[in-house]
Amino acid sequence: MNADTALVHRARIHAALGDPARLAIVDALTLGDSSPGEIAHTLGMPTNLVAHHVKVLTDAGLVTKGRSEGDRRRTYLRLRPETLAALATPRLPGVGRVVFVCTHNSARSQLAAALWKQRTNTDVASAGTKPAARVHPRAVAVAHRHHLDLDPTGTAHVTDVVRGDDLVIAVCDNAHEELAGPVRPRLHWSVPDPVRVDTDEAFEAAYADLADRVDRLAPAVLPGGPR
C-alpha cells in the first residue's frame, strides 16, 4: 500500500468513525462481539439504522461479520482492532475476578484463563455449561508449547465457580446464547471451536485469538495493564 492509498484508507476510517452512532457501535464491540440485534438493544437504536451503520463500518474495514457456531441464523459483529490502534480501550471499573466460560471447559476457556494468569498474575477461573471430564489433549499440548500453566483434569461447572462480582466472559457462542440470569456473561468472545476441526493448527489459531483478546482486555481491567 503506497502513501497516497494509505492516506485515503485512513481518511475512510476516520469518516466512518465521524458519526456518533457508529462510534457507539465501535465502543460496544471493542471488548466483545455482538449480534446486530444485541447492538440495537444495547444502544436503543432501530435495527434498520444499525444495519446502515454496520455497513459503513464494514466497508471501512472496521468490522467483520461471522455466523454463529450455535444458532447458525445469527450473525456476530467483530471489531478489527488493528485499525484502531490509537483508540483507547474503555475501562471496566469494579472488576474482581475474571472467569472464562465455554461449553465443555476443555479448550478455549482453559486457554483463556491460563493466558490471563500468565499475562496479569491475578485471580482467574474457568468453567463450562456442560463440563467434560478432562481438558482436551490438544489444548494441553498448545498450553505446554506456550508455557501456560494448565491442569488437564481441572474442569468445572459454572454454578460451582461463578461468584456475584466476577467478570464472566463467554469464549463460546453456545455458552453466550445459553447462559442467563446471575451468570449471564458480561463480555462475549466469538472464538471458533478448535475441537470441531481437531488439528494442532486450529488450537494454535484459538490460542492466538485468545492471546490477542486477553492483551486488549487487560488494560481495561488492570490499572497498569498486563504485569
Side-chain angles (χ1 to χ4, degrees):
M1 185 181 292
N2 60 41
D4 288 342
T5 302
L7 195 61
V8 170
H9 181 63
R10 286 173 56 206
R12 189 177 187 183
I13 292 170
H14 282 291
L17 294 173
D19 185 281
R22 289 196 286 273
L23 189 56
I25 292 172
V26 168
D27 284 346
L29 295 174
T30 299
L31 299 178
D33 310 324
S34 296
S35 69
E38 289 169 339
I39 289 290
H41 176 76
T42 300
L43 300 180
M45 193 182 300
T47 55
N48 62 334
L49 191 56
V50 169
H52 165 71
H53 288 311
V54 166
K55 184 179 186 306
V56 174
L57 293 170
T58 301
D59 289 345
L62 288 161
V63 170
T64 60
K65 300 178 183 178
R67 288 290 181 185
S68 165
E69 291 184 349
D71 180 354
R72 297 291 297 177
R73 295 169 297 180
R74 287 198 186 199
T75 296
Y76 287 118
L77 306 175
R78 176 172 178 166
L79 193 65
R80 296 185 64 190
E82 62 270 20
T83 64
L84 294 172
L87 185 65
T89 303
R91 298 285 304 165
L92 287 179
V95 173
R97 184 179 62 162
V98 176
V99 179
F100 295 97
V101 176
C102 65
T103 303
H104 299 300
N105 192 212
S106 65
R108 289 166 289 183
S109 57
Q110 293 280 353
L111 290 171
L115 275 159
W116 187 261
K117 184 67 175 179
Q118 182 191 65
R119 297 291 206 269
T120 70
N121 195 31
T122 59
D123 196 14
V124 66
S126 69
T129 56
K130 301 169 186 174
R134 60 172 185 153
V135 180
H136 195 285
R138 291 191 192 275
V140 176
V142 75
H144 178 74
R145 285 195 293 273
H146 294 279
H147 310 290
L148 300 179
D149 184 13
L150 194 154
D151 178 3
T153 62
T155 62
H157 193 276
V158 288
T159 57
D160 297 324
V161 173
V162 175
R163 305 189 299 240
D165 62 343
D166 288 336
L167 171 61
V168 179
I169 303 173
V171 294
C172 160
D173 292 345
N174 285 306
H176 172 67
E177 292 162 17
E178 291 173 7
L179 286 172
V183 294
R184 177 67 183 166
R186 185 172 174 185
L187 295 177
H188 171 218
W189 295 353
S190 185
V191 179
D193 185 3
V195 177
R196 295 189 182 213
V197 182
D198 200 17
T199 63
D200 288 343
E201 291 76 13
F203 277 81
E204 284 288 348
Y207 165 84
D209 192 348
L210 290 165
D212 176 67
R213 291 171 181 268
V214 163
D215 288 342
R216 273 189 276 155
L217 177 63
V221 174
L222 305 174
R227 299 173 186 176

